Amino acid sequence: MGLIGEVLLLPFAPVRGSAWVIRQVLSEAERIYYDPATVRAELARLEERLEAGEIDEEEFDRLEDELLDRLETGLRPSAGTNDWTSR
């Protein structure tokens, strides 16, 4: 972008900077959300809750399926990189 374009877009610099920060935060949150170590730790906590009687078998199965889907997504090579977070 040329000098004129930069000058014309200067009033929008705070918005562009904020958008960049938001993309970075979303990218990091998504990385943590799909991190296999994080998902495995949540699976262990879920099993502890089942053994302690805090949840029933049906809820355990539902939550376990969700966590296993996250784990599968996290193990894919392109995990957690949506178009809107990779700009």
Side-chain angles (χ1 to χ4, degrees):
M1 188 176 299
L3 180 61
I4 294 175
E6 288 293 325
V7 170
L8 291 174
L9 292 176
L10 190 58
F12 298 107
V15 173
R16 291 187 340 208
S18 296
W20 179 84
V21 169
I22 290 169
R23 283 193 305 271
Q24 297 304 310
V25 169
L26 286 173
S27 178
E28 181 64 12
E30 199 170 54
R31 186 193 65 76
I32 292 170
Y33 182 76
Y34 289 110
D35 180 39
T38 302
V39 176
R40 287 184 185 113
E42 289 185 36
L43 281 167
R45 282 193 299 272
L46 184 62
E47 190 170 344
E48 289 172 2
R49 290 179 62 199
L50 176 66
E51 291 173 359
E54 296 176 14
I55 59 174
D56 61 7
E57 192 74 34
E58 184 178 318
E59 185 174 2
F60 173 82
D61 289 339
R62 183 182 58 79
L63 294 171
E64 182 185 41
D65 287 343
E66 291 174 10
L67 288 170
L68 291 175
D69 287 343
R70 273 178 48 196
L71 182 61
E72 184 180 325
T73 302
L75 293 175
R76 287 187 203 139
S78 63
T81 54
N82 291 329
D83 292 340
W84 51 271
T85 58
S86 60
R87 291 183 195 147

